[in-house]
Amino acid sequence: MTHSFLSILSLMVISVAFIWLFKRAHLPPILAYLVAGVVVGPELLDLFAESESMHLAAEVGIVLLLFTLGLEFSLAKLMAMRRLVFGVGGGQMFATTALFAIIALLWGQDLSTSIILGALLGLSSTAIVIKTIDDKGRLNTRRSQIAISVLLFQDLAVVPLLIIIPLLAQPDGQSITTAVLLALLKGVIAVTALLSFGKWLLPRIYNEIARTQTEELFVLTTLVITLLAAGATYAFGLSMALGAFLAGMMLSESQYRHQLEADIRPFRDILMGLFFITVGMQLKLDVVFSEWYWILLGVGILVVAKAAVIKFIGQLYQIQSSDAWAAGFKLAQIGEFSFVLAALAADNNVISTYQSNLIISVGLVSMAITPSLIDKSDWLSEKLSFQKLPSVSPENRIQERKIDAVILGFGRVGQTVARMMKLEGLQYVVIDSDPIRVQEARTAGEDIYYGDATKKDILKKAIGRHAQLSIVTFDNHARAKTLIHVLRDLFPDIKIIVRTRKDYHADELYKEGALQVVPEIQEGSLMLISQVLHYAGIPMSRILKRIRNERQKGYVHMHGFFPGETTEISFETRDKLEFMHAVVITENAFADGKTLDELGLSNKRVQVVALRRDLQEVENPPLHTKLRAKDVLVISGKPRRVERIEKYILGGG
């Protein structure tokens, strides 16, 4: 085996071990990745002589993360949040940069170095914050939206910083103002081009891809489009993450949104883990051990200062005190782009190597404590704002609506259910895997999404935490069983109603966890029976009682049928169908003169439906009934059992 293979294998084993260990200790996986990066990095095992290729793959993780974040934002939603993005986000970036720049000036640094140090400390970690918030299910909350708005502005602020830092090393170079304006022009062109592409071409592309019903092609197309969008903004001198975010945003209102996120998530999570490992590899242990007191002091000042700045800016924009504090603690770390900018500034002699290493050390420690800060942000905000949060929910959730049911499958049955629910004013969401049907229904105003309903990510996004009822309407027994299992795993208390065409599937569906199984043929027959009895003069109360009893007893009178020449028996159905068969007791038959109890037919897994004797029929005859010649015994059971029991009744053995 080559050295590269052994290095990669060692990295995977170490990562698995640390993640398992940290999860057992109830610590966040992000911290495990950071520690794994320190272990495999140049300071300890030094498994990778050239980590540049790893860093490139890790950047793809950030790209995919921003793509999935974009799926949460439509253009209309982003415009509605412009006050938060440009107001709170811009205010935070400028105020934090100014604060830390003043501290750096007092520390004896020159103006250029102080501004860059302030900007580096002003950035927060998009990757850690969004992933941690998403994992905790808090993405659609007021305070999380504030934090995300600030992060979006910070990502935009990285672009001019990438331009300004090299220019600061060249005093006689081109005007900084000219460079920033040129970058702004490029940004407007790139964003306009991507938005146009997303509005006019992306829906058509995905409509064609979805019609192929090929999952691999759908996933590959998503990856290609995401990377193309990221590459387009990078070619214009902008952040790759910005392009990925715009691509996701353009697809946020499409019917494919939940399927896209479910397909991307495995790639995103693995590459994001690799990104955190590369961050951990940058830690300089000699700096940590020699300057640990400055690092801890720096982390403390950083957390308090950034949280206080966002609280102050939030107050200017009439944001509730508790929300502002909570958002501030979510953003109290140094961001991943700070590492990139610190390395660039050190290469251009804008800051010293020592300062760069110190920033990286402070950044890693602040990243390590971020999951805990996010987890405790509600408690901290409550204490600092002197406001008691509601006991029902720790955060004021936004954009929530009550969903009474989720309809899984939108064929004729699903659409009929939806119409009846709509007439009663009930709210529902639909998931279906037919792209043409989804497009038609979505155009007509239905709340429907394209996707495979058996995927957990799609169900979590569509159902959320609010639906109390799910209706499985498609006629695919294997998928229905899988779906019930997934629903029970995700939502133990949800009520599941399943439609099936074949009544012999009912027992399996009940065992999987269905609350109610509706056999289509039996229910259709009951409706026909109710009409027949009504027109035959039977009182409606008696009809309803008869139907209710039939359902409660599991359609006992509707199981089994007399087969005919056209009855098809396949390998799949031969042990599931229930046939009825009339057996004539002949003279000298084995059963002649024996009671039903003596024959033990109940132990042979067949049912005695009726006994005809002298033109009289006895339904469910008692076990002490003695059979005699010319009796007609009507039995019901699986085809092979019926055949075997007939031979037994007539010939014994």
Side-chain angles (χ1 to χ4, degrees):
M1 291 188 290
T2 64
H3 176 71
S4 297
F5 177 78
L6 287 173
S7 298
I8 293 172
L9 180 60
S10 301
L11 173 62
M12 294 175 68
V13 171
I14 291 170
S15 300
V16 169
F18 274 115
I19 292 171
W20 171 80
L21 183 64
F22 277 60
K23 287 296 287 183
R24 289 295 299 268
H26 304 290
L27 294 172
I30 290 174
L31 190 55
Y33 285 123
L34 292 172
V35 174
V38 174
V39 172
V40 303
E43 297 294 307
L44 293 178
L45 298 181
D46 194 17
L47 294 181
F48 299 92
E50 294 183 5
S51 59
E52 192 61 34
S53 57
M54 282 184 59
H55 190 70
L56 178 62
E59 283 190 24
V60 176
I62 299 177
V63 166
L64 296 180
L65 176 70
L66 266 294
F67 176 77
T68 54
L69 176 63
L71 291 173
E72 298 288 338
F73 289 85
S74 64
L75 184 59
K77 182 177 179 180
L78 188 64
M79 292 305 295
M81 291 174 58
R82 62 187 181 276
R83 180 170 168 269
L84 291 177
V85 174
F86 297 102
V88 180
Q92 180 274 335
M93 191 62 198
F94 289 119
T96 308
T97 300
L99 175 62
F100 286 116
I102 291 171
I103 295 174
L105 283 171
L106 295 175
W107 192 19
Q109 304 300 311
D110 60 53
L111 182 60
S112 298
T113 302
S114 299
I115 292 174
I116 295 303
L117 287 173
L120 297 183
L121 296 172
L123 296 174
S124 303
S125 175
T126 302
I128 292 182
V129 173
I130 293 175
K131 180 167 174 53
T132 306
I133 290 173
D134 191 25
D135 289 344
K136 293 180 179 296
R138 299 181 183 179
L139 204 57
N140 287 319
T141 63
R142 175 65 176 171
R143 49 195 59 178
S144 293
Q145 297 289 299
I146 296 169
I148 291 171
S149 300
V150 174
L151 289 169
L152 287 177
F153 186 88
Q154 290 179 0
D155 286 341
L156 293 173
V158 169
V159 178
L161 288 172
L162 288 170
I163 298 168
I164 291 171
I165 288 174
L167 293 177
L168 289 174
Q170 303 170 13
D172 56 344
Q174 71 180 100
S175 167
I176 293 178
T177 305
T178 304
V180 172
L181 289 175
L182 182 61
L184 182 62
L185 178 61
K186 287 182 179 180
V188 171
I189 295 172
V191 170
T192 303
L194 279 176
L195 293 180
S196 301
F197 173 76
K199 181 175 179 62
W200 302 110
L201 290 180
L202 277 187
R204 291 174 172 82
I205 291 173
Y206 273 104
N207 286 341
E208 291 300 320
I209 296 300
R211 286 175 185 174
T212 66
Q213 297 283 299
T214 305
E215 186 174 353
E216 294 84 355
L217 183 59
F218 198 88
V219 174
L220 186 59
T221 302
T222 303
L223 290 172
V224 169
I225 287 175
T226 304
L227 295 176
L228 280 176
T233 51
Y234 183 74
F236 275 86
L238 304 172
S239 164
M240 287 197 297
L242 179 61
F245 175 80
L246 291 172
M249 194 174 66
M250 289 301 96
L251 290 165
S252 63
E253 293 185 348
S254 76
Q255 64 266 32
Y256 307 114
R257 168 187 163 190
H258 296 317
Q259 183 71 42
L260 288 167
E261 186 167 2
D263 289 339
I264 284 291
R265 183 178 288 271
F267 300 95
R268 185 198 75 181
D269 290 346
I270 291 172
L271 292 173
M272 281 301 299
L274 183 59
F275 165 75
F276 293 123
I277 289 173
T278 60
V279 170
M281 291 171 67
Q282 298 180 50
L283 184 67
K284 302 294 183 182
L285 292 180
D286 58 336
V287 175
V288 173
F289 292 132
S290 63
E291 308 288 351
W292 61 269
Y293 44 88
W294 287 114
I295 292 172
L296 293 180
L297 179 62
V299 171
I301 294 173
L302 181 76
V303 170
V304 173
K306 294 188 78 169
V309 166
I310 293 179
K311 162 63 174 67
F312 174 74
I313 299 298
Q315 198 167 9
L316 296 179
Y317 285 87
Q318 288 81 48
I319 292 175
Q320 189 175 347
S321 179
S322 59
D323 288 340
W325 276 119
F329 284 113
K330 286 178 171 66
L331 302 173
Q333 71 293 127
I334 291 178
E336 54 275 351
F337 287 119
S338 298
F339 300 150
V340 177
L341 295 171
L344 180 63
D347 290 341
N348 286 275
N349 297 316
V350 177
I351 64 175
S352 66
T353 303
Y354 168 80
Q355 291 169 334
S356 176
N357 290 333
L358 201 60
I359 287 175
I360 290 173
S361 300
V362 172
L364 284 175
V365 175
S366 68
M367 284 180 169
I369 66 172
T370 293
S372 297
L373 277 176
I374 291 176
D375 194 46
K376 300 293 184 182
S377 61
D378 298 334
W379 180 81
L380 290 169
S381 65
E382 179 182 330
K383 296 299 181 184
L384 292 172
S385 62
F386 303 103
Q387 294 177 349
K388 185 69 177 176
L389 297 180
S391 58
V392 176
S393 173
E395 301 202 32
N396 297 322
R397 297 188 174 274
I398 62 171
Q399 295 185 336
E400 285 192 347
R401 60 190 180 86
K402 182 176 179 290
I403 298 175
D404 296 293
V406 56
I407 301 173
L408 305 166
F410 208 53
R412 292 175 63 185
V413 175
Q415 291 175 44
T416 302
V417 171
R419 292 189 191 106
M420 294 298 106
M421 291 185 68
K422 191 178 293 184
L423 289 175
E424 294 297 328
L426 298 174
Q427 299 295 319
Y428 58 86
V429 65
V430 185
I431 302 175
D432 193 83
S433 58
D434 187 313
I436 297 176
R437 182 158 58 222
V438 170
Q439 182 64 43
E440 287 287 328
R442 196 173 181 82
T443 304
E446 295 287 352
D447 189 4
I448 183 170
Y449 294 95
Y450 171 84
D452 181 357
T454 60
K455 290 193 173 182
K456 290 186 177 182
D457 289 332
I458 293 175
L459 287 173
K460 283 193 288 189
K461 288 293 182 182
I463 299 177
R465 301 178 182 178
H466 314 291
Q468 302 298 313
L469 177 65
S470 62
I471 306 108
V472 181
T473 67
F474 51 76
D475 184 26
N476 185 318
H477 180 60
R479 283 189 69 214
K481 285 177 61 179
T482 301
L483 181 52
I484 294 170
H485 181 76
V486 173
L487 283 167
R488 276 279 163 258
D489 188 37
L490 287 175
F491 314 102
D493 299 327
I494 197 169
K495 301 177 182 68
I496 304 173
I497 300 176
V498 187
R499 163 250 184 168
T500 181
R501 287 183 59 82
K502 285 105 175 157
D503 64 307
Y504 53 75
H505 284 153
D507 288 341
E508 292 182 59
L509 296 172
Y510 277 122
K511 287 178 183 177
E512 287 295 330
L515 174 68
Q516 184 69 50
V517 179
V518 181
E520 191 171 308
I521 295 174
Q522 275 69 21
E523 283 296 323
S525 299
L526 280 180
M527 291 301 99
L528 177 62
I529 291 166
S530 66
Q531 295 298 315
V532 170
L533 295 179
H534 172 67
Y535 286 109
I538 304 298
M540 184 55 67
S541 59
R542 186 174 172 183
I543 295 172
L544 294 175
K545 183 178 180 181
R546 172 75 66 183
I547 291 175
R548 183 170 60 253
N549 289 339
E550 197 64 34
R551 285 174 178 151
Q552 290 176 346
K553 293 179 180 179
Y555 309 96
V556 63
H557 292 98
M558 306 178 75
H559 288 157
F561 62 95
F562 295 109
E565 185 178 353
T566 59
T567 303
E568 295 183 1
I569 304 178
S570 65
F571 178 79
E572 178 190 1
T573 60
R574 65 180 182 179
D575 290 326
K576 297 177 180 177
L577 294 174
E578 194 167 316
F579 282 178
M580 293 175 64
H581 183 54
V583 182
V584 179
I585 309 298
T586 59
E587 292 189 14
N588 301 320
F590 175 73
D592 188 10
K594 292 183 173 60
T595 65
L596 293 174
D597 190 29
E598 290 173 336
L599 289 173
L601 297 184
S602 59
N603 297 327
K604 300 182 184 298
R605 293 187 290 181
V606 295
Q607 180 184 0
V608 178
V609 178
L611 173 67
R612 290 186 61 82
R613 176 181 292 172
D614 300 329
L615 301 180
Q616 299 294 320
E617 180 174 315
V618 179
E619 188 176 336
N620 297 320
L623 293 177
H624 60 75
T625 303
K626 183 178 291 187
L627 300 178
R628 61 192 188 195
K630 297 184 181 180
D631 283 349
V632 179
L633 195 64
V634 182
I635 60 176
S636 174
K638 301 291 188 293
R640 290 190 296 181
R641 292 176 192 164
V642 168
E643 182 180 348
R644 188 166 60 246
I645 293 304
E646 182 181 24
K647 291 180 181 179
Y648 170 71
I649 290 172
L650 298 178

